[in-house]
Amino acid sequence: MFALFVCVSLDYKILSYMLIACVILCVTFAAFIKKYKSFKMLFTVFLTISVAFIGYLINYSVNITVLDQLKGEDLYITGTVCEPVYKNYGKYYYIIQTDDIQDKEDIKQVKIRVSASQYLGLEPFDKISCRVSLSDSLPDDRGFSSSNYLKSQGIYLTGFMYEYEQIKIERTENKPFYYNIFLLRQNIKDAFYENIPDKYAGIICAVLLGDKNSLDEETTNDFRNIGLSHILCVSGLHLSFAASFIFALLKALRLRRKYSAFLTALFVLCFMIITGFTSSVIRAGIMSVIYYVGLGIDKKSDSLNSLGFAVFVSCLVNPFAGANIGLILSSFATLGIIVIQPRLYNFFSMKVYKPKMAVSKFILESVCVTVSATILTIPFTVSVFKEISLMTVIANILIVPAAMIMLIAAFLFIIFYFINLSVIFYPLLYIASLISMYILNTADLLASASFAVLNVSNEYFIFAVLSAFVLFAVSYAIYGFKSNIKVISLLTLIIFLTGILTYSIKTNDTISLVVLQTNKGCSVVLKKENQNAVICCGGNSYTEHKLENLLKSEPMSKLDCLLISDTNKAVSYSAQKVITKFNPKLILLNSKSYVDDKLSRSLHNKNNISYYENKTRCKLWGEVEVLVNSEDENPYIILKIKDTSCLIIPSGGAVPEELYGYYDFILMSQPSENLDKINAQYYILSGDDD
């Protein structure tokens, strides 16, 4: 799994060289296995890595290299919608399995994701014929490549429909059996949304079915900030808890252990089908089936072997599984629980504190499980998300048990709802909704803490975190818990302090211009040491979260200025969030702009607002000059930082004549109409969804 994660992160040629190096090491270790028995493990490790590299490179050559020729082309396709349509950021997304691609006789069946601005009324297994513009995916809002993630789902191309051209839709009357699974999922969702408020139904459906489409961005961000994103998608935690409940229920009904185990394994398979065979569910499902089948035949399964087999199957089916961050985190968290948790619990219960009461034992077990899972996922959360949640342990203790009780209540509600026993299902629904309310409020409370997330976006912090991880990992591998924890902790502290000092020296008196990738609009922040100025805060609904993480990336950072040059919906939303959370020293606002109710409330009783009429000029930190012009249809901002100039055109459009000339940087949300009239050393596009 780790080898495949490396594969999808590196260039094809670099992987070829790494494969050659691994093969050479395999041959070298094989030659000395008889003489040095310890080389047997190294030989096995590098042989496994070599096989993973070979599998990935073959898959890349067969699928990706062939399909790369389609990128950038406008083609007429005919295919079948193979998954339910979903909406995101105002667009509808259709997963289509092509049957025919115009002028591409050698390429027939390929799965693509196509976006459209309108809902076409398509259901799974309906046929569609349309013209699309094909491309590769941009990096997504969470920091990792959505292109690679989609490949892990078997989707190798993305694009958008030409909606002004004719789109042919053919309804499929005799749909396959699997269509009934989609209908069942929809009926389950409707059962909750028709009986309780949407925000509570959204949490329940996310935990029960992994459906997050109805959750707002603020809720999703709260769970991410407290390290509980896995609660909102069906994973091994959900499946194992549900399976344990079913097994205990069957035993309570006096069913023989053998039959209880087999029926529980059957339930696991049904659960996997209903939740859509996500990668993490497949991994957990295979492990659970092996475990319960083992119980049924009186054979004890080995957790490590079961995990290895489950990951092997997932990667064998699709080598791009290494790009699925959910599967990676799930697998390594499970590995941490299997390998580290028992030893960690024994260490604390014997050397630190021996729990005597059930409550204290539960808390210690929860802490050990959380810490064990977190230890092996830290390298991935740091390298991919560039942040670490400091609330994970507390959040797991307060929320996870409640979420599992809610899962069981929701599951029982569905059973009694479909057999129409209202005397039973209404109390169960009431319990589930109360717990969902508790979960939402607790998550919001924990996420609102200023220290909830530690941002590690710069390379020195990343190096310090990864170095600390390597120190503890090597120490544990060699000495177990007998190693000198004090010495290792001291070395870790020295690495952290060295990283902070090095970063401080490097960034001293340096002004950074940070451009956030927001897919729509522009979002720009100026940074100098622990001082910040938000120049633009446009983009999609995820911009506010990215801005928050950036502004929290430095300890004791403060916001000196917030410039609101435009007040469209996205800008207003981000601006009011920034004002509420960071209380900027100065707010620059165009007096001619329309201010909506939410932004108006955040500005109420603020005495640090400086209004300007269409144009203004100001200085930041004595060395940054900011010129704002909101007079025309296409407002612009000019930054002069010492000898460097930057032109920002947030809304795109035509460039005014007075701006013709040369700039070091030009930033815009989309290419301007007369871009040839201005010159720059660097052009930066914040991009569009496709």
Side-chain angles (χ1 to χ4, degrees):
M1 174 62 71
F2 179 76
L4 290 176
F5 175 76
V6 172
C7 285
V8 297
S9 306
L10 296 178
D11 181 71
Y12 185 84
K13 291 183 178 179
I14 296 176
L15 285 178
S16 301
Y17 295 135
M18 291 181 66
L19 173 60
I20 295 171
C22 287
V23 171
I24 293 173
L25 286 170
C26 280
V27 174
T28 304
F29 289 131
F32 292 97
I33 280 180
K34 292 183 179 179
K35 189 175 181 180
Y36 303 100
K37 291 184 178 180
S38 59
F39 278 16
K40 186 176 181 179
M41 182 185 70
L42 294 174
F43 170 75
T44 305
V45 168
F46 283 101
L47 179 62
T48 304
I49 294 173
S50 300
V51 171
F53 281 7
I54 291 170
Y56 175 84
L57 291 171
I58 291 173
N59 183 275
Y60 191 96
S61 301
V62 172
N63 293 316
I64 309 304
T65 305
V66 174
L67 295 176
D68 274 347
Q69 62 181 293
L70 300 182
K71 294 176 184 176
E73 292 197 35
D74 296 343
L75 298 170
Y76 194 82
I77 67 166
T78 299
T80 304
V81 177
C82 52
E83 292 183 20
V85 179
Y86 67 94
K87 186 179 181 182
N88 198 15
Y89 296 134
K91 289 189 177 182
Y92 293 92
Y93 289 91
Y94 303 85
I95 310 300
I96 300 172
Q97 181 80 40
T98 62
D99 299 319
D100 182 69
I101 301 177
Q102 176 191 7
D103 300 329
K104 303 293 179 182
E105 295 183 0
D106 56 328
I107 303 174
K108 292 292 183 183
Q109 291 197 336
V110 58
K111 192 183 287 188
I112 64 175
R113 188 190 71 172
V114 180
S115 67
S117 61
Q118 58 181 323
Y119 177 61
L120 302 175
L122 286 165
E123 292 185 346
F125 306 107
D126 285 344
K127 302 282 186 180
I128 182 172
S129 299
C130 60
R131 182 171 294 278
V132 299
S133 176
L134 296 174
S135 63
D136 201 357
S137 300
L138 292 169
D140 80 347
D141 292 319
R142 292 168 291 176
F144 57 92
S145 170
S146 62
S147 172
N148 286 334
Y149 173 76
L150 289 173
K151 289 183 179 70
S152 74
Q153 308 300 307
I155 302 170
Y156 294 102
L157 288 170
T158 64
F160 60 88
M161 291 185 196
Y162 285 103
E163 298 175 63
Y164 56 84
E165 294 192 14
Q166 185 180 13
I167 299 174
K168 296 180 181 179
I169 296 174
E170 180 184 340
R171 306 294 178 188
T172 303
E173 297 298 332
N174 297 320
K175 296 183 178 180
F177 174 78
Y178 197 69
Y179 176 71
N180 295 305
I181 303 301
F182 294 136
L183 289 181
L184 177 61
R185 282 174 59 89
Q186 188 58 50
N187 289 335
I188 291 173
K189 289 166 59 180
D190 292 342
F192 290 108
Y193 281 100
E194 290 172 2
N195 290 285
I196 57 176
D198 288 357
K199 61 180 180 179
Y200 303 142
I203 287 291
I204 294 173
C205 288
V207 173
L208 183 64
L209 300 173
D211 189 318
K212 299 187 291 184
N213 292 333
S214 299
L215 295 178
D216 57 62
E217 291 294 329
E218 188 171 359
T219 300
T220 305
N221 293 341
D222 284 346
F223 277 85
R224 179 182 170 186
N225 286 340
I226 61 175
L228 285 186
S229 294
H230 61 281
I231 286 293
L232 301 180
C233 56
V234 178
S235 63
L237 172 68
H238 305 67
L239 193 149
S240 59
F241 191 85
S244 299
F245 172 78
I246 293 297
F247 184 68
L249 181 64
L250 292 173
K251 286 182 66 180
L253 294 174
R254 309 269 179 158
L255 199 63
R256 290 178 61 184
R257 177 183 169 125
K258 179 171 69 173
Y259 298 129
S260 297
F262 285 135
L263 287 174
T264 303
L266 181 61
F267 164 79
V268 169
L269 293 174
C270 295
F271 191 88
M272 293 168 66
I273 293 171
I274 293 173
T275 53
F277 284 111
T278 61
S279 298
S280 55
V281 168
I282 291 174
R283 192 272 310 158
I286 293 173
M287 289 187 67
S288 296
V289 168
I290 292 173
Y291 173 76
Y292 286 107
V293 169
L295 282 181
I297 60 176
D298 292 324
K299 297 288 184 181
K300 186 177 180 181
S301 63
D302 182 85
S303 299
L304 274 178
N305 287 335
S306 299
L307 175 62
F309 179 74
V311 171
F312 172 76
V313 171
S314 300
C315 297
L316 184 65
V317 173
N318 183 5
F320 271 99
N324 189 325
I325 192 65
L327 177 60
I328 292 170
L329 295 178
S330 172
S331 300
F332 278 91
T334 304
L335 180 62
I337 293 171
I338 293 172
V339 176
I340 301 176
Q341 190 270 339
R343 296 171 175 82
L344 190 64
Y345 180 81
N346 290 336
F347 174 80
F348 277 103
S349 60
M350 294 174 64
K351 299 288 183 69
V352 181
Y353 170 73
K354 186 174 183 178
K356 297 179 180 178
M357 299 176 63
V359 175
S360 58
K361 184 179 180 181
F362 166 76
I363 293 175
L364 181 58
E365 286 180 345
S366 300
V367 170
C368 290
V369 167
T370 303
V371 172
S372 301
T374 303
I375 286 173
L376 291 190
T377 56
I378 280 179
F380 300 99
T381 55
V382 168
S383 61
V384 176
F385 299 119
K386 308 295 189 294
E387 62 186 30
I388 300 174
S389 173
L390 302 180
M391 285 290 184
T392 301
V393 175
I394 297 175
N396 270 273
I397 294 172
L398 296 179
I399 293 178
V400 170
M404 294 303 99
I405 295 172
M406 183 184 73
L407 172 68
I408 298 303
F411 175 72
L412 293 175
F413 161 76
I414 289 300
I415 294 175
F416 292 109
Y417 179 82
F418 285 134
I419 60 178
N420 201 24
L421 285 177
S422 58
V423 178
I424 300 178
F425 74 67
Y426 273 124
L428 290 169
L429 181 62
Y430 181 70
I431 293 170
S433 61
L434 278 180
I435 296 175
S436 66
M437 180 173 63
Y438 161 78
I439 290 172
L440 278 172
N441 292 334
T442 305
D444 180 64
L445 178 65
L446 295 176
S448 63
S450 58
F451 53 86
V453 178
L454 173 64
N455 192 292
V456 288
S457 56
N458 68 70
E459 61 271 22
Y460 297 101
F461 284 122
I462 293 175
F463 173 77
V465 171
L466 293 180
S467 298
F469 173 81
V470 170
L471 272 175
F472 278 99
V474 171
S475 172
Y476 171 76
I478 298 175
Y479 302 107
F481 284 99
K482 296 178 181 179
S483 58
N484 195 329
I485 298 296
K486 292 182 180 179
V487 174
I488 296 173
S489 300
L490 180 60
L491 288 173
T492 302
L493 179 62
I494 292 172
I495 291 173
F496 269 103
L497 293 177
T498 303
I500 294 171
L501 180 61
T502 306
Y503 180 73
S504 301
I505 294 172
K506 181 185 175 182
T507 58
N508 184 39
D509 203 34
T510 299
I511 297 176
S512 303
L513 177 68
V514 182
V515 181
L516 301 180
Q517 192 224 326
T518 54
N519 289 343
K520 289 182 178 179
C522 292
S523 192
V524 181
V525 178
L526 287 174
K527 298 176 70 68
K528 181 184 178 183
E529 296 177 0
N530 64 339
Q531 298 172 299
N532 301 278
V534 178
I535 305 301
C536 300
C537 55
N540 52 35
S541 55
Y542 202 76
T543 301
E544 175 266 328
H545 175 69
K546 301 182 82 170
L547 271 174
E548 180 182 349
N549 280 349
L550 179 64
L551 295 175
K552 286 181 176 179
S553 62
E554 307 289 347
M556 304 299 291
S557 64
K558 52 188 177 181
L559 182 58
D560 292 328
C561 177
L562 170 63
L563 170 58
I564 309 175
S565 59
D566 191 7
T567 53
N568 62 46
K569 184 178 179 181
V571 172
S572 296
Y573 176 80
S574 295
Q576 64 97 3
K577 289 290 185 181
V578 169
I579 292 169
T580 303
K581 292 184 178 181
F582 296 97
N583 192 25
K585 287 184 179 179
L586 174 65
I587 302 172
L588 290 172
L589 178 63
N590 187 357
S591 59
K592 299 290 186 179
S593 298
Y594 166 76
V595 179
D596 65 18
D597 292 340
K598 287 185 178 180
L599 181 56
S600 179
R601 283 196 294 271
S602 65
L603 294 170
H604 185 62
N605 290 333
K606 295 287 184 182
N607 55 8
N608 56 343
I609 305 173
S610 177
Y611 292 97
Y612 66 92
E613 189 172 336
N614 294 330
K615 291 183 179 181
T616 188
R617 187 188 299 268
C618 67
K619 272 206 166 186
L620 293 171
W621 313 316
E623 48 191 336
V624 179
E625 186 177 349
V626 183
L627 172 64
V628 186
N629 189 332
S630 306
E631 200 168 29
D632 301 322
E633 292 182 0
N634 299 319
Y636 63 84
I637 302 167
I638 297 177
L639 301 177
K640 292 185 178 178
I641 309 169
K642 298 180 180 179
D643 298 327
T644 304
S645 59
C646 177
L647 171 63
I648 304 173
I649 309 175
S651 57
V655 179
E657 287 189 19
E658 66 264 24
L659 295 180
Y660 292 175
Y662 175 82
Y663 302 88
D664 294 290
F665 298 91
I666 295 178
L667 169 65
M668 57 193 75
S669 59
Q670 54 188 354
S672 297
E673 297 172 9
N674 49 349
L675 193 58
D676 58 322
K677 301 295 184 181
I678 52 178
N679 296 309
Q681 187 173 359
Y682 299 100
Y683 295 88
I684 304 172
L685 290 177
S686 56
D688 190 76
D689 283 348
D690 298 303

